[in-house]
Amino acid sequence: MQQDNNFSSAEITFDTNDQVQGNQQNDEKKYQVTYEEKVLTRDASVLTGETQTDNKSLLKKVLMRKRNLIRRASTSTVTVAEGPPYHTMKIETVAQLMKSDLQNGLKESEIAEKRTQYGYNEMEGDGGVNPVKLMLKQFLNVMVLILVIAMVVSFVFKDWVEGGVIAFIMVLNAGIGFAQEYKAERTMESLRQMASPTAQVIRDGQQKTIATRELIPGDIIILKNGDVVGADCRIIESFNMDIDEALLTGESLPVNKIVDVLENAEVPLGDRVNMTYSSTTLCKGRGKAIVTSIGMQTEIGKIAKRLLDSGDNARTPLQKSLDRMALVLLAIAIISLIIVFSVAKFRIDDQIVLYAISTAIAVIPEGLIAVVTLTQAFGVNAMAKANALVRRLVALENLGSVTNICSDKTGTLTQSKMVLTRFWRPDSGFHKVSGLGFTIEGEVVSESDADVKITKENMNDGMQQLLESAALCNMSELRQHQETEEWYGIGDPTEIALQVFAHKLQMGKPSLMDNENWRLVSEYPFDSSIKRMSVLCETSNGEAHAFLKGATERVLPCCTAIQMSEKGDIRTMSQDELQALILPKVEDLAKGGLRVLSLATRRVSTKGKTEGAISFDTFSREEIEQDMVFLGLVGIYDPPRAESKSAVEKCHKAGITVHMLTGDHIATATAIAREVSIIPAEGNVDHLVMSAQAFDKMSEESIDQLPELPLVIARCSPDTKVKMIEALHRRKRISGMTGDGVNDSPSLKESDIGISMGQGGSDVAKQASDIILVDDNFATIVAAIQEGRRVFANISKFVVHMVSVNVAELTPLLLCLAFRKGSYIVFPLSPIQILFNNLITSAPPAMALGLEPVHPQQMLVPPRTEKESLFCYRNIIDILYYGVMMGLICLANYAIVIYVYGPGDLGINCNLALNQNPDKETCYIIYNARGALFVTMTVLLLLHAHTCRDLVNPTWTWKVLTGRQNFYMYASWIFGFGIMFIVLYVPVINTEVFKHSPITWEWGMVAASVVVYIFLAEGYKLIKRKFFRIRK
């Protein structure tokens, strides 16, 4: 073994196939990592740990916490696992492990071999969506299979009309489902497109430009401002290098990268400041790094792997309810067939088969799937108008039953715009600054005296110098859009916040440089080693002033005094006195979740330095950053959206718990959570707030034993968010996840309903989500939940309507088996009549029920429980009562026509035609009776839709009939009655197709039936309200 003397706790050996030892095969590849004398060996095909039981905790420090075994679809079948924690290793150790040279990079002669081992730097998908499989999926449904059987039997017995109608319904349903689902699965393609297309690397000592997909572990890459990092890397050199990692960590601020070795292997992703990750963006500075992971081994690759592994979400409660209903209907259809064949004593002929088909068709609500899908589509359209785009129809139903929303903070509850809200001056204390975002309107008032409003005209000299330091020690720009007139910033978010603050008091950088003739002479940029920056500026009269800003602990050592209100009132202080005065104020600001910066200044004497104008090299940094006068503290934070608090409170009223899962620090997360009412504004909230490190270390059993899950989890990783979703699932909760970054994608996919941001969201998050908020507004979720609840309530109404109509049809079909002459059975409803009522007449009023407006109390009740599913006991009882009641009324009219008005003769072969005997119209009475039953059934099912507008409260009262109306219902009535008259009175259609005759005096029975129906329906509701507790 070759020891690395610079890495005392680790020594690394990397053996490859070009160094054959002993009996090793040429194709064997392995490396060995010794970490505090604990050894882990990893072969090309198998990962094995050769340690004792008590060494497991140490091994976890060698490997990352999670091992993803990736099934590669590219050039290699090698199983690859995560390597050691590179952020805990010295650069030389990483280079030795990668078999690379820090100065000259990889050798071109090694690239082919490494390519065989690692493959290409690209995301690997599962081949995309298969349209054939997706279309077949639409037919793999029990209800559809029943229709397929009925269609086949119809065609076998040459009943072309009936078979054709059933086929049309199946094709319509499949088309709608296929069109929606085909758009849904493009997440991996979005991930593939995120990486930078090219990268600057050093190979054989030469700088080269290569395609990002050709990067190999061990490559030395050169990074500059604006680059998108192409792979996961360990930093080698860093010059003021800030990287925006918001997509992965959720942090709103860029992370300053350094070279230092980190001691803790379990540092969260956002705190690994010596690493940079694929698809993050360099927003300032430059640097050099060595590639450690590519493709599916990168952090973004792990997200892609999780998305592939998670597959589709579990079936929603609505889908499960429809599946159960289909199985029940299948059983009823089979029982009905057995009953028909039994009555016929199993002497099966074409008429018995035709009757059996009619009975089976009567059981199936052929239009239900189409109505459910179209109702959801209308809901999607309504939500689109409310700025919520639904990507998957089933999400709409799930959204209405959400019990917990897990929200990201940055850009979701907050604006993702840093803003200065509070500052402290030594002479006047704390001040508040109003105004959100980039707008330059805002007021500055003293916290000690709210009546004291600070303006440019009345500010003292000390305050003016604070503003000058904020504006001039600042490289950002604030601009106004020419068309929209909205303000936007260019540069570092923190500096933009300072610039906005200065603009609010008319002392922005442009104003100072143009109107007051300040000139920037020299800039001493922010350096992570000293955590401060300074500038040297010159006034129009030649005076030189230095301005300094940075972390308080790095600014105070440069200061020797504090600036009071008057220009000459400067009080000299020792370091101890400065710290005693200022550090408690820093802590006060930090408690509010603010990022605290200190500002300082001093007048610089040019005497003896230069005879002419001063220039950028007149003074060194050390000369500028000394003997500073402390000006004050500023507190900056990412403000919540104005609508977030009210939206969260509405969620609470609706029985929905809101959790904040964020990559920010715990103090900031707690402060924002208090502001938006996720946690109480006052009191101890320690049991409601938790760090991700603490949460991740908890076992599933420990989490399940918590009285309630934490409402705020800070410093989240993607696994933390998924772990939270899984914990909610174990508690039988319906979870919703909102987010905008790549880091949110696994939890968006894992949750029951994923909600991404349309404006600030990444493509990956959008493709992984079920719903996209166009306006990135958390408040839109409330409207979406309300719409989801409305849609499910309406689906419940029309399911009761449609299935009770099926029961109403099945009732006379089964009871009429008693009306037979030997084995000759006359059906009371022909197959076409049944299909007509199920599809043409029943579907439009059912659709009208789907468009029923939202109930005023919809968002004041808790989410539905599992007991309140689509086919709960209450709905089943409603279906059976209304169905049997309507069926008996229709059967009574049928029997009256045959046995009271007529002679009781069942005719000859009246299932086939009106007159089988040329000398006598043997089927006239039967056709009349069918006509009466058909009209009664049609009228009742149309009126029954109005009854189902409210399954608890009365609907046939004057108050309801003159109150809030559903005009779609009236339109469906006009259509239903109109087409009923056509099929009843148009010759040939009535007798040859529908096999019934026009009615005359029977209309009196129909009118009486309506009165009886209304009386029985309202009486049933009265009993429910009086004797049963029913949630309204």
Side-chain angles (χ1 to χ4, degrees):
M1 263 189 177
Q2 298 175 349
Q3 290 191 349
D4 181 1
N5 296 325
N6 295 325
F7 191 45
S8 59
S9 61
E11 58 179 2
I12 297 171
T13 297
F14 197 104
D15 298 322
T16 62
N17 56 3
D18 60 342
Q19 295 173 335
V20 180
Q21 299 178 7
N23 297 326
Q24 289 181 327
Q25 298 296 324
N26 287 343
D27 61 347
E28 183 180 9
K29 308 179 186 69
K30 68 178 177 180
Y31 67 70
Q32 198 171 59
V33 179
T34 302
Y35 193 92
E36 296 183 3
E37 301 181 355
K38 313 303 177 187
V39 182
L40 181 71
T41 302
R42 188 271 230 167
D43 289 294
S45 58
V46 179
L47 187 64
T48 59
E50 299 175 358
T51 62
Q52 298 177 357
T53 304
D54 59 351
N55 295 335
K56 289 182 179 179
S57 60
L58 293 174
L59 287 174
K60 290 180 181 178
K61 295 181 180 179
V62 181
L63 295 177
M64 293 290 189
R65 286 171 292 172
K66 186 177 179 183
R67 297 168 183 160
N68 284 335
L69 299 180
I70 310 300
R71 183 178 66 255
R72 287 193 172 273
S74 57
T75 59
S76 175
T77 58
V78 176
T79 302
V80 182
E82 284 190 26
Y86 300 107
H87 55 283
T88 65
M89 297 181 179
K90 290 188 176 182
I91 297 170
E92 294 81 6
T93 306
V94 177
Q96 183 182 359
L97 182 59
M98 296 290 103
K99 287 204 68 181
S100 183
D101 187 280
L102 292 176
Q103 298 298 324
N104 299 320
L106 293 173
K107 297 179 180 179
E108 286 289 353
S109 58
E110 300 173 346
I111 300 301
E113 177 189 338
K114 282 183 171 286
R115 181 84 63 218
T116 303
Q117 180 181 356
Y118 294 105
Y120 283 96
N121 179 31
E122 58 188 3
M123 298 298 160
E124 296 165 7
D126 56 0
V129 180
N130 188 323
V132 176
K133 290 183 179 179
L134 197 58
M135 179 58 75
L136 289 176
K137 178 183 175 183
Q138 309 306 315
F139 293 95
L140 298 179
N141 176 287
V142 175
M143 197 181 304
V144 174
L145 291 178
I146 295 173
L147 292 179
V148 170
I149 295 171
M151 179 191 69
V152 171
V153 173
S154 298
F155 284 142
V156 168
F157 285 91
K158 299 181 180 181
D159 195 336
W160 311 116
V161 175
E162 179 183 330
V165 171
I166 296 175
F168 171 76
I169 293 301
M170 289 192 299
V171 171
L172 176 64
N173 288 334
I176 294 173
F178 176 83
Q180 289 295 327
E181 292 192 36
Y182 188 74
K183 303 174 185 176
E185 299 299 331
R186 295 186 303 172
T187 303
M188 294 309 302
E189 186 63 28
S190 178
L191 278 168
R192 291 190 191 100
Q193 295 173 356
M194 287 194 66
S196 178
T198 60
Q200 297 286 325
V201 300
I202 296 176
R203 289 182 180 174
D204 286 332
Q206 301 289 324
Q207 182 173 332
K208 299 180 179 180
T209 300
I210 65 172
T212 303
R213 72 185 296 267
E214 296 179 1
L215 285 174
I216 290 290
D219 263 326
I220 306 299
I221 65 172
I222 299 172
L223 301 170
K224 62 182 183 302
N225 188 17
D227 282 355
V228 175
V229 182
D232 287 3
C233 309
R234 172 70 160 83
I235 302 295
I236 298 175
E237 296 177 0
S238 173
F239 299 95
N240 301 321
M241 189 164 69
D242 284 3
I243 294 185
D244 182 0
E245 296 181 343
L247 288 176
L248 277 173
T249 66
E251 272 282 5
S252 54
L253 289 171
V255 179
N256 186 259
K257 296 297 181 177
I258 59 175
V259 184
D260 300 356
V261 174
L262 303 180
E263 296 181 358
N264 187 1
E266 296 186 355
V267 173
L269 197 67
D271 291 336
R272 297 177 190 175
V273 292
N274 59 5
M275 298 288 294
T276 183
Y277 299 102
S278 176
S279 297
T280 58
T281 305
L282 197 73
C283 55
K284 188 170 72 173
R286 58 187 177 85
K288 191 185 297 183
I290 180 170
V291 175
T292 57
S293 302
I294 62 170
M296 299 295 282
Q297 287 293 89
T298 62
E299 292 299 326
I300 195 173
K302 296 170 195 171
I303 294 174
K305 179 64 167 61
R306 179 175 289 279
L307 293 176
L308 283 176
D309 290 346
S310 65
D312 292 333
N313 292 337
R315 296 182 71 77
T316 68
L318 175 60
Q319 291 174 317
K320 293 176 181 178
S321 295
L322 292 175
D323 290 344
R324 288 194 296 269
M325 181 197 73
L327 291 174
V328 171
L329 294 179
L330 175 62
I332 294 173
I334 293 173
I335 293 172
S336 300
L337 291 175
I338 294 174
I339 292 173
V340 172
F341 293 149
S342 298
V343 171
K345 298 180 180 180
F346 291 94
R347 297 171 182 172
I348 301 173
D349 56 23
D350 57 348
Q351 291 196 43
I352 295 299
V353 171
L354 191 62
Y355 196 100
I357 291 175
S358 300
T359 306
I361 291 174
V363 173
I364 305 301
E366 287 85 359
L368 180 60
I369 297 177
V371 173
V372 169
T373 305
L374 291 174
T375 298
Q376 289 181 315
F378 283 125
V380 168
N381 184 57
M383 288 182 64
K385 294 179 180 177
N387 292 320
L389 301 180
V390 178
R391 299 183 63 250
R392 297 178 181 91
L393 285 178
V394 294
L396 194 59
E397 174 267 335
N398 236 9
L399 187 62
S401 59
V402 163
T403 59
N404 296 73
I405 296 177
C406 299
S407 174
D408 187 39
K409 179 187 75 68
T410 305
T412 307
L413 289 164
T414 67
Q415 301 180 39
S416 193
K417 298 176 182 177
M418 305 301 286
V419 62
L420 191 152
T421 58
R422 199 177 182 212
F423 68 92
W424 177 81
R425 281 276 302 128
D427 61 311
S428 54
F430 287 103
H431 297 72
K432 286 185 177 180
V433 184
S434 64
L436 299 175
F438 296 147
T439 178
I440 62 173
E441 285 79 27
E443 294 183 348
V444 178
V445 296
S446 171
E447 292 187 6
S448 59
D449 186 356
D451 295 331
V452 178
K453 181 179 176 182
I454 309 298
T455 64
K456 184 178 181 180
E457 290 72 25
N458 67 8
M459 71 174 64
N460 57 42
D461 291 332
M463 183 75 71
Q464 180 176 339
Q465 291 183 61
L466 178 76
L467 269 295
E468 289 172 347
S469 180
L472 295 174
C473 188
N474 195 318
M475 296 300 107
S476 68
E477 296 181 44
L478 201 60
R479 298 181 181 180
Q480 190 173 23
H481 196 280
Q482 294 181 352
E483 296 180 0
T484 63
E485 297 186 353
E486 291 184 356
W487 291 89
Y488 64 97
I490 299 176
D492 182 82
T494 303
E495 293 192 333
I496 293 173
L498 289 167
Q499 201 63 256
V500 170
F501 168 56
H503 274 72
K504 288 176 180 178
L505 290 172
Q506 293 81 49
M507 291 191 64
K509 191 173 183 178
S511 175
L512 294 177
M513 301 191 77
D514 296 339
N515 301 333
E516 301 184 21
N517 297 319
W518 282 90
R519 182 176 71 89
L520 178 64
V521 177
S522 180
E523 173 200 351
Y524 305 92
F526 179 86
D527 191 315
S528 60
S529 62
I530 57 175
K531 294 184 179 179
R532 62 178 182 257
M533 75 163 289
S534 56
V535 295
L536 179 62
C537 297
E538 188 178 37
T539 63
S540 57
N541 59 11
E543 292 183 355
H545 292 263
F547 296 102
L548 175 69
K549 80 166 185 287
T552 303
E553 66 272 17
R554 298 305 178 93
V555 171
L556 286 185
C558 301
C559 297
T560 58
I562 61 173
Q563 177 68 55
M564 303 307 288
S565 59
E566 301 301 325
K567 193 169 186 178
D569 190 2
I570 299 175
R571 298 183 184 179
T572 303
M573 288 188 173
S574 66
Q575 279 297 306
D576 290 339
E577 291 174 326
L578 282 171
Q579 292 181 12
L581 173 66
I582 295 168
L583 292 185
K585 312 303 179 186
V586 173
E587 188 173 338
D588 192 296
L589 288 170
K591 284 181 180 178
L594 305 181
R595 184 187 184 197
V596 183
L597 296 178
S598 292
L599 303 178
T601 187
R602 80 177 179 97
R603 184 175 176 182
V604 180
S605 173
T606 59
K607 187 176 181 180
K609 296 294 294 184
T610 180
E611 297 180 357
I614 58 175
S615 63
F616 69 92
D617 59 353
T618 302
F619 297 94
S620 67
R621 183 166 197 155
E622 291 72 20
E623 290 177 300
I624 291 295
E625 296 177 353
Q626 62 179 345
D627 299 327
M628 285 283 180
V629 179
F630 185 84
L631 295 175
L633 302 170
V634 293
I636 301 171
Y637 91 123
D638 188 8
R641 294 177 179 272
E643 313 87 1
S644 292
K645 182 177 181 180
S646 60
V648 171
E649 290 173 348
K650 287 180 181 178
C651 286
H652 291 162
K653 291 179 181 178
I656 299 168
T657 303
V658 180
H659 304 260
M660 179 193 290
L661 277 62
T662 177
D664 273 338
H665 293 281
I666 195 165
T668 304
T670 303
I672 295 296
R674 287 184 185 274
E675 286 193 51
V676 299
S677 298
I678 290 178
I679 58 177
E682 298 179 358
N684 185 9
V685 294
D686 291 345
H687 63 293
L688 300 176
V689 180
M690 187 179 292
S691 69
Q693 283 183 293
F695 188 75
D696 288 342
K697 290 179 181 178
M698 296 180 70
S699 65
E700 290 185 0
E701 293 75 16
S702 300
I703 293 174
D704 294 341
Q705 289 174 1
L706 292 174
E708 58 181 317
L709 293 173
L711 298 182
V712 177
I713 299 182
R715 304 300 286 164
C716 278
S717 68
D719 284 343
T720 307
K721 297 182 178 184
V722 173
K723 191 172 184 177
M724 182 65 163
I725 296 295
E726 291 172 345
L728 288 169
H729 286 169
R730 290 195 300 273
R731 297 187 180 213
K732 306 299 181 183
R733 304 293 177 86
I734 304 296
S735 61
M737 171 71 195
T738 70
D740 56 357
V742 175
N743 64 311
D744 297 320
S745 301
S747 46
L748 287 172
K749 194 82 172 178
E750 193 76 20
S751 62
D752 298 286
I753 179 76
I755 309 168
S756 65
M757 304 297 115
Q759 293 180 355
S762 66
D763 287 342
V764 178
K766 293 174 185 176
Q767 294 297 324
S769 66
D770 302 296
I771 293 176
I772 301 173
L773 301 183
V774 176
D775 56 359
D776 288 13
N777 194 337
F778 186 84
T780 304
I781 298 174
V782 178
I785 290 174
Q786 178 173 283
E787 182 65 20
R789 291 187 175 190
R790 183 193 72 85
V791 167
F792 187 86
N794 290 348
I795 289 175
S796 181
K797 293 172 185 177
F798 69 66
V799 164
V800 170
H801 169 255
M802 296 189 78
V803 180
S804 60
V805 168
N806 287 104
V807 175
E809 293 169 343
L810 185 63
T811 300
L813 283 171
L814 292 179
L815 294 180
C816 276
L817 291 173
F819 303 162
R820 67 183 190 275
K821 186 188 300 181
S823 61
Y824 170 53
I825 302 173
V826 177
F827 48 66
L829 286 169
S830 68
I832 298 301
Q833 284 179 319
I834 296 171
L835 287 172
F836 179 85
N837 276 337
N838 285 355
L839 297 171
I840 308 302
T841 310
S842 180
M847 189 63 65
L849 285 173
L851 297 174
E852 186 74 16
V854 66
H855 194 280
Q857 305 296 314
Q858 193 79 68
M859 291 299 291
L860 297 179
V861 295
R864 297 185 312 275
T865 64
E866 289 185 353
K867 294 181 180 179
E868 296 173 299
S869 64
L870 196 60
F871 289 94
C872 59
Y873 290 121
R874 183 181 71 238
N875 286 357
I876 292 174
I877 293 172
D878 287 347
I879 289 169
L880 293 176
Y881 173 79
Y882 288 121
V884 173
M885 181 255 287
M886 290 190 294
L888 291 177
I889 292 174
C890 294
L891 181 60
N893 290 351
Y894 178 79
I896 289 172
V897 173
I898 295 177
Y899 294 101
V900 177
Y901 174 78
D905 185 13
L906 298 181
I908 300 173
N909 292 330
C910 295
N911 293 336
L912 300 177
L914 176 61
N915 188 12
Q916 292 297 315
N917 189 334
D919 301 321
K920 184 179 180 181
E921 293 183 349
T922 58
C923 298
Y924 178 77
I925 294 297
I926 296 299
Y927 271 50
N928 257 20
R930 277 200 200 121
L933 193 155
F934 172 74
V935 171
T936 305
M937 181 71 71
T938 303
V939 172
L940 291 187
L941 73 85
L942 290 172
L943 300 182
H944 182 51
H946 182 78
T947 301
C948 291
R949 288 186 64 189
D950 194 323
L951 297 174
V952 177
N953 298 303
T955 51
W956 291 102
T957 62
W958 181 255
K959 181 180 179 180
V960 175
L961 293 174
T962 57
R964 186 182 55 176
Q965 301 300 311
N966 183 345
F967 293 101
Y968 297 104
M969 183 69 68
Y970 300 141
S972 70
W973 286 1
I974 294 172
F975 172 78
F977 283 119
I979 200 163
M980 178 190 70
F981 281 106
I982 293 174
V983 301
L984 185 63
Y985 290 105
V986 173
V988 180
I989 292 179
N990 52 13
T991 57
E992 298 298 327
V993 178
F994 283 81
K995 294 182 172 56
H996 59 216
S997 297
I999 64 173
T1000 53
W1001 63 269
E1002 292 89 350
W1003 279 108
M1005 289 194 308
V1006 174
S1009 300
V1010 170
V1011 174
V1012 173
Y1013 164 79
I1014 293 175
F1015 176 79
L1016 294 176
E1018 292 299 321
Y1020 172 68
K1021 288 184 181 179
L1022 178 63
I1023 293 173
K1024 286 204 299 183
R1025 293 195 303 273
K1026 189 171 183 179
F1027 295 103
F1028 301 96
R1029 290 187 61 187
I1030 297 176
R1031 176 181 163 184
K1032 300 179 181 180

